[in-house]
Amino acid sequence: MTAISVPIVRDVVVIEGPDAEKYLQGQLSQDVATIAVGGWAWSLLLAPQGKVVAWLRVFRPTAERFELDVETGFGAAVAARLGRFMIRTDAAISETTRSMTAVRGVDVDGAAPILWPGVLGGDVIGGAPSGIDEGTADQLERIRVTAGAPAMGSELDAEVIPA
């Protein structure tokens, strides 16, 4: 596969405060306490009935800040679901977006991880590394589908129970 880079935008839900880790530990499928500062991990956010709210990446830039990176259009649902159960918790929720560059076909140091079987790459905050050809959204989608990687709104939605 030829290496390509494609600009993307992701929704980001920020949970920040002294109780952020403890709160997310009870809300996400990932053991967030084991994510090192500067580290990334994939997780599911589920409804109380076990259905998928979001398939997302957790980024921990500081000990008390977590950034939940989800496909565009799903940030509001993540923030709403998390806000509904945040009672007596010293943490705040906010929403934003993040410009990234999806790089596929080559390893990229420091990139947010992807879980696409057989595909090298990651998502870089900001612009693409030099020397990589610019691809299209259609090419990126074709690579994802060929790898069998799920996406919110396609293979994953509010009716899916991951178990």
Side-chain angles (χ1 to χ4, degrees):
M1 171 200 319
T2 302
I4 63 166
S5 67
V6 179
I8 60 173
V9 176
R10 305 271 296 177
D11 286 351
V12 178
V13 176
V14 177
I15 297 85
E16 187 168 25
D19 293 344
E21 178 185 292
K22 180 180 175 186
Y23 179 69
L24 288 175
Q25 190 71 8
Q27 300 300 314
L28 299 177
S29 65
Q30 179 60 250
D31 182 0
V32 298
T34 64
I35 302 171
V37 170
W40 294 85
W42 281 94
S43 187
L44 287 166
L45 175 62
L46 303 174
Q49 303 82 9
K51 294 182 179 181
V52 173
V53 173
W55 168 237
L56 51 85
R57 285 184 291 215
V58 182
F59 177 51
R60 188 176 196 172
T62 70
E64 294 185 355
R65 180 182 173 101
F66 293 84
E67 298 175 2
L68 309 181
D69 170 296
V70 66
E71 292 176 52
T72 300
F74 293 91
V78 169
R81 162 61 179 76
L82 289 173
R84 188 174 13 195
F85 297 103
M86 190 175 273
I87 301 167
R88 292 188 296 265
T89 301
D90 190 5
I93 298 175
S94 61
E95 295 177 63
T96 188
T97 59
R98 173 182 289 143
S99 294
M100 302 181 86
T101 302
V103 178
R104 302 297 182 267
V106 63
D107 272 330
V108 183
D109 288 337
I114 58 169
L115 292 178
W116 296 12
V119 178
L120 295 175
D123 295 337
V124 179
I125 296 174
S130 61
I132 299 175
D133 293 336
E134 187 166 333
T136 66
D138 286 343
Q139 285 176 300
L140 186 62
E141 181 69 357
R142 198 171 313 113
I143 294 167
R144 182 192 70 77
V145 169
T146 300
M152 290 300 304
S154 297
E155 296 78 20
L156 297 173
D157 62 28
E159 297 304 313
V160 172
I161 297 175

